[in-house]
Amino acid sequence: MTPQQPRSALAQTASTVPPRDREAARLLALWVDLTVRLASAAAHHSSDEPSLRNLQIQIEEALVDHLADSDAVMAELWAWEATLLHVVEMPPETCLICRKARLGLPADVPLPAGIGGVR
Ligand SMILES: [Zn+2]
């Protein structure tokens, strides 16, 4: 399995989700944002981790209700989450993944147009 695989499955999912399903798009964007923060909190032992993880689980449950093929999408999302490897020995200030997030650079998850990738 390569980190690139989520692209194809998310793109396929786009064709099955009505573009008007703004709630799914909103939830997916929220999940991505939250998961980036959670990965940082978990890697660097932040006290925010439990609350971020609870939020992530709630959003995942909502996403499952809103997606036509939620099993496939969630599998891709979790595979992507596993690629968010932080340098645990470093403080967040020098960890490259944290720096990327602080700078507002894309988290490298190409969201399909139908569910939030494109306006
Ligand atoms: Zn980090």
Side-chain angles (χ1 to χ4, degrees), residues 44 86 95 98:
H44 304 294
H86 289 242
C95 168
C98 286

Side-chain angles (χ1 to χ4, degrees), residues 39-40 43-44 85-88 90-92 94-99:
S40 173
H44 304 294
L85 293 176
H86 289 242
V87 183
V88 177
M90 289 182 173
T94 48
C95 168
L96 286 176
I97 297 274
C98 286
R99 285 180 59 185

Side-chain angles (χ1 to χ4, degrees), residues 31-89:
W31 185 90
V32 168
D33 179 61
L34 195 64
T35 298
V36 168
R37 288 161 57 200
L38 174 59
S40 173
H44 304 294
H45 310 292
S46 162
S47 58
D48 290 341
E49 185 193 351
S51 58
L52 288 172
R53 194 170 296 283
N54 281 338
L55 270 173
Q56 185 197 42
I57 291 168
Q58 287 172 27
I59 292 169
E60 285 175 3
E61 287 170 352
L63 260 176
V64 165
D65 288 342
H66 280 87
L67 292 172
D69 190 5
S70 60
D71 284 352
V73 174
M74 294 318 297
E76 298 295 342
L77 292 180
W78 289 326
W80 173 75
E81 181 178 11
T83 68
L84 298 176
L85 293 176
H86 289 242
V87 183
V88 177
E89 312 86 64

Side-chain angles (χ1 to χ4, degrees), residues 6-19 24 28 63 66-77 111-115:
R7 287 169 199 271
S8 59
L10 283 175
Q12 276 175 14
T13 305
S15 63
T16 65
V17 175
L28 197 56
L63 260 176
H66 280 87
L67 292 172
D69 190 5
S70 60
D71 284 352
V73 174
M74 294 318 297
E76 298 295 342
L77 292 180
L111 298 178
I115 50 177

